[in-house]
Amino acid sequence: MHKSRLRKAPPVITDTIGLLFIAVVLTVLHFGLPTSTYEQFVFTFADADPVTVWTSAFLHDSNSHLYSNLAGYGISIWLTYDLYYGYLQQRRRFWITVIAIMVVTPFITTALDYLFLYHYTELVAGETTSKG
């Protein structure tokens, strides 16, 4: 049996690459999407499209909005990673949590915005958009 000479990268390195990939994708979406494509994926309160409910969470209104969200992501993800992997030794659970949050949270936050800001309190106009 042939033994591979390639060594497997430590989990911390592969996890760091995966977590940085999320930040890179958000940055590429912000700076790389053409305006016409960007506008198709922004949630508009008067036109509650199920697709834009999810996609709008990953778009940002301005550079400072993106940078502050990336800073918050960086701080919270590393604290969470340290808790799950460093303290609890639950690396798999960490990744399940990250994926679940990325899939579920956009629906919850946009739905709450829609219900409370637009539908019940009418604090925003129908043409108002919601992003990240």
Side-chain angles (χ1 to χ4, degrees):
M1 179 178 250
H2 177 15
K3 194 173 187 179
S4 175
R5 293 179 192 214
L6 293 176
R7 290 181 19 186
K8 192 174 180 181
V12 173
I13 293 175
T14 56
D15 292 344
T16 301
I17 292 168
L19 295 171
L20 287 173
F21 179 75
I22 294 169
V24 168
V25 167
L26 292 173
T27 304
V28 167
L29 287 174
H30 181 71
F31 292 108
L33 275 182
T35 305
S36 59
T37 305
Y38 178 88
E39 293 300 324
Q40 289 177 340
F41 293 108
V42 171
F43 178 78
T44 305
F45 285 92
D47 181 29
D49 178 7
V51 172
T52 63
V53 167
W54 189 73
T55 59
S56 65
F58 302 102
L59 303 177
H60 297 84
D61 197 30
S62 65
N63 291 351
S64 62
H65 182 201
L66 171 69
Y67 300 149
S68 65
N69 280 10
L70 288 175
Y73 166 75
I75 292 167
S76 62
I77 205 69
W78 288 117
L79 290 173
T80 306
Y81 184 77
D82 188 48
L83 173 66
Y84 271 92
Y85 184 63
Y87 182 71
L88 299 173
Q89 300 297 308
Q90 296 286 325
R91 181 173 176 247
R92 184 173 183 266
R93 183 177 283 177
F94 168 78
W95 281 107
I96 290 169
T97 302
V98 168
I99 292 167
I101 287 172
M102 290 183 65
V103 170
V104 174
T105 301
F107 291 109
I108 293 171
T109 56
T110 305
L112 289 173
D113 283 352
Y114 177 79
L115 289 174
F116 293 112
L117 297 177
Y118 178 69
H119 189 65
Y120 291 121
T121 62
E122 298 179 0
L123 290 174
V124 296
E127 307 81 38
T128 304
T129 59
S130 176
K131 303 166 198 119

